[in-house]
Amino acid sequence: MSSSRFSPALQASDLNDFIAPSQDCIVSLNKNSAASRLPIKKKQVVVSTKPPEESVKISLKDCLACSGCITSAETVMLEKQSLDDFVTRINSGKTVIVSVSPQSRASLAAFFGLSQSQVFRKLTALFKSMGVKAVYDTSSSRDLALIEACNEFISRYKLSQLSSDKEVGTSLPVLSSACPGWICYAEKTLGSYILPYISSVKSPQQVIGAAIKHHMVEKLGLKPYDVYHVTVMPCYDKKLEAVRGDFVFSVEEKEVTEVDSVLTTGEVLDLIQSKSVDFKTMEESPLDRLLTNVDDGGHLYGVSGGSGGYAETIFRYAARALFNREIEGPLDFKILRNSDFREVTLEVEGRPVLKFALCYGFRNLQNIVRKVKMGKCEYQFIEVMACPSGCLNGGGQIKPAKGQSPKDLIQQLEGVYMQDVSVSNPFDNPIAKRLYDDWLVQPGSDNAKRYLHTQYHPVVKSVTSQLQNW
Ligand code: SF4
Ligand code: SF4
């Protein structure tokens, strides 16, 4: 199976370049058991889709932990996080919670000719008819991630203003961290020089996972291991993110994962179509407000920006916090080499004081990384996304209709994305306020760092896989 479903950056880091036929699996070697060694040849994957306690030989998490991979991680993952697996798990006696991304809602809305709000209510009805307990919205966790990212940027900016080189270090630029395609590429291909620049804030997917498994379960009177949490996302890369070891913890000696499974938008469309229901005319359910950006009048709200609005939100916040400037109206992003590489500048008394960039797609990403490496990056913050045009164009989104060009589809999605969603400031989000009051205390607190931030790890390739790339 090719890795073409992943983002361009992830394909560049090439999961399959870790395939080295006829070696022993490192997972088994680590277990020190000769009997459990798995000689695996290319494409001959030994994977069980049964629950872990039964007979899984290799999990995707293990695969990502290994620098000498000998099998196709994508194949492992697709079996482990498939629609079939989801349907099986839904009847396993666990409390199932689904968190839907706004990009996925927009893709389904464009496909069915509905609004985001209609799609969300119908999806809620569909999932609940299958036994799902609650359906939430990752716009709420994105607001939490944005608040943490604003706070982190101010701290790192202030650090960069110190005089000693040692203190300034790698404080700027801050490179955004919400895109797992970019993170995987940075860890596997770029390595240790770039990782300190990457924001430590978890992505919205992992933030909602942490909120549900570390905090909300208590409110619901459940144990974290009794909840099966599924997200609906615009790309396959999010499946890889969900299984990172950093997002697994243990409770009462049981392994708990913040996000148990990820379905792409396309897989949810398959689910809808498999149900033989007329989604367009299907009854709608009220939304679950606990972790959904919906106001008292039933209107959705969130930040604009199909890739999370990181650069825009932090730019406005930093302009106010650092330079006492309130920016009204849309930001004036200037297109540079192409529409996927744009910058915005704040000038104070004729002098540029803030310079941020959006950098989408592998080609632009490589350019920016080169500049960071040479110490010639003029930006303080860069919103890095692996997919050209960003998350609305993720590899897991519904493909263009017959006769529709990808460009037309993106334009349509951009229109649908904020059509019935009011633009709001994350700092005004009552859900975020409540989570800080009840759980996290304040942005950048010890609790916030513990639950909403993460770390990155350079992956050293095995000699064999390096030789293969010669
Ligand atoms: S990726 Fe590494 S750990 Fe996973 S199956 Fe391959 S060799 Fe084993
Ligand atoms: S840009 Fe967005 S859709 Fe594409 S890989 Fe990154 S997170 Fe996924």
Side-chain angles (χ1 to χ4, degrees):
M1 195 179 292
S2 87
S3 54
S4 60
R5 298 186 209 210
F6 290 97
S7 63
L10 201 48
Q11 289 173 55
S13 74
D14 200 354
L15 292 169
N16 291 331
D17 70 9
F18 287 78
I19 293 169
S22 304
Q23 292 183 359
D24 283 333
C25 170
I26 284 174
V27 169
S28 334
L29 291 172
N30 286 344
K31 285 177 187 153
N32 281 333
S33 158
S36 69
R37 288 182 185 187
L38 300 171
I40 303 172
K41 292 193 173 133
K42 193 172 179 177
K43 304 294 178 198
Q44 293 177 334
V45 185
V46 183
V47 176
S48 166
T49 55
K50 289 178 187 164
E53 55 278 15
E54 289 185 42
S55 64
V56 166
K57 300 282 190 298
I58 307 164
S59 73
L60 180 63
K61 176 163 64 68
D62 295 324
C63 285
L64 287 179
C66 156
S67 62
C69 183
I70 57 170
T71 186
S72 162
E74 183 190 5
T75 310
V76 180
M77 178 195 59
L78 293 182
E79 290 187 30
K80 193 109 179 58
Q81 294 203 40
S82 64
L83 197 49
D84 287 349
D85 193 51
F86 167 67
V87 173
T88 310
R89 301 276 182 158
I90 222 168
N91 298 311
S92 68
K94 292 199 174 194
T95 300
V96 182
I97 295 177
V98 177
S99 302
V100 184
S101 70
Q103 292 86 1
S104 299
R105 286 188 327 220
S107 181
L108 288 161
F111 182 84
F112 286 106
L114 297 166
S115 68
Q116 280 224 50
S117 163
Q118 287 171 313
V119 163
F120 202 14
R121 285 166 211 278
K122 287 174 193 290
L123 266 188
T124 302
L126 181 81
F127 281 131
K128 290 205 168 170
S129 74
M130 295 173 68
V132 170
K133 174 96 174 161
V135 182
Y136 296 133
D137 163 25
T138 63
S139 311
S140 65
S141 55
R142 184 177 60 190
D143 283 347
L144 216 50
L146 285 165
I147 293 170
E148 285 298 315
C150 285
N151 184 67
E152 177 193 49
F153 178 80
I154 300 300
S155 306
R156 284 176 57 171
Y157 180 90
K158 287 183 175 163
L159 200 60
S160 77
Q161 301 301 300
L162 298 175
S163 50
S164 136
D165 273 359
K166 199 169 162 228
E167 285 166 314
V168 173
T170 52
S171 51
L172 291 182
V174 177
L175 307 174
S176 69
S177 56
C179 170
W182 146 240
I183 297 297
C184 196
Y185 172 69
E187 288 183 329
K188 284 191 169 177
T189 307
L190 304 174
S192 51
Y193 80 88
I194 203 82
L195 301 183
Y197 293 100
I198 301 178
S199 160
S200 65
V201 179
K202 287 182 185 175
S203 73
Q205 166 171 287
Q206 296 310 134
V207 168
I208 203 161
I212 288 171
K213 294 284 181 95
H214 286 287
H215 176 63
M216 300 309 297
V217 281
E218 268 182 41
K219 297 204 147 221
L220 300 168
L222 296 165
K223 294 284 186 186
Y225 46 75
D226 288 332
V227 172
Y228 184 65
H229 178 217
V230 183
T231 60
V232 178
M233 288 285 145
C235 61
Y236 286 84
D237 306 46
K238 286 283 173 190
K239 298 186 187 228
L240 289 175
E241 181 181 47
V243 297
R244 287 172 68 90
D246 304 88
F247 306 143
V248 178
F249 58 103
S250 89
V251 175
E252 295 165 17
E253 296 185 357
K254 291 189 177 137
E255 194 174 83
V256 180
T257 312
E258 289 175 353
V259 176
D260 296 285
S261 186
V262 179
L263 296 177
T264 63
T265 317
E267 285 171 321
V268 169
L269 178 63
D270 290 346
L271 177 70
I272 293 168
Q273 291 173 336
S274 75
K275 291 282 170 199
S276 328
V277 288
D278 184 355
F279 192 70
K280 269 189 98 154
T281 57
M282 193 181 154
E283 197 187 321
E284 296 176 9
S285 258
L287 300 177
D288 291 314
R289 298 190 57 191
L290 206 55
L291 288 176
T292 294
N293 279 6
V294 58
D295 65 18
D296 292 342
H299 301 295
L300 299 174
Y301 61 86
V303 292
S304 58
S307 298
Y310 281 82
E312 171 154 359
T313 306
I314 299 170
F315 189 84
R316 288 180 193 278
Y317 184 81
R320 197 179 321 115
L322 298 170
F323 303 101
N324 209 17
R325 292 287 191 281
E326 202 66 51
I327 304 173
E328 305 291 346
L331 293 188
D332 183 19
F333 276 100
K334 290 199 171 45
I335 295 179
L336 300 173
R337 290 161 186 261
N338 49 62
S339 60
D340 275 342
F341 193 3
R342 283 175 277 165
E343 67 176 33
V344 59
T345 308
L346 175 72
E347 290 194 354
V348 173
E349 292 159 9
R351 195 172 61 88
V353 289
L354 280 182
K355 211 168 181 191
F356 282 26
L358 301 179
C359 172
Y360 298 170
F362 186 55
R363 203 160 37 113
N364 292 324
L365 194 159
Q366 276 184 313
N367 282 331
I368 213 79
V369 158
R370 209 172 297 130
K371 283 190 177 180
V372 174
K373 191 172 187 178
M374 293 188 307
K376 291 191 173 163
C377 178
E378 69 263 49
Y379 304 111
Q380 291 114 354
F381 181 90
I382 306 161
E383 182 178 301
V384 185
M385 294 287 158
C387 294
S389 307
C391 293
L392 287 171
N393 189 30
Q397 295 281 70
I398 299 166
K399 303 293 169 237
K402 224 175 167 193
Q404 187 182 36
S405 71
K407 206 174 151 202
D408 289 347
L409 175 59
I410 294 297
Q411 269 175 3
Q412 187 190 0
L413 291 176
E414 278 165 357
V416 170
Y417 192 67
M418 293 308 285
Q419 204 173 38
D420 60 338
V421 181
S422 341
V423 179
S424 67
N425 181 347
F427 287 83
D428 297 335
N429 186 330
I431 298 169
K433 283 183 186 167
R434 198 183 60 228
L435 287 171
Y436 278 110
D437 286 348
D438 295 355
W439 176 44
L440 299 164
V441 187
Q442 61 183 21
S445 68
D446 287 349
N447 268 5
K449 288 213 173 91
R450 179 165 171 209
Y451 297 114
L452 306 191
H453 291 246
T454 187
Q455 293 177 333
Y456 310 104
H457 319 279
V459 175
V460 182
K461 286 187 185 183
S462 70
V463 174
T464 317
S465 57
Q466 287 180 39
L467 287 174
Q468 279 195 328
N469 287 337
W470 275 21

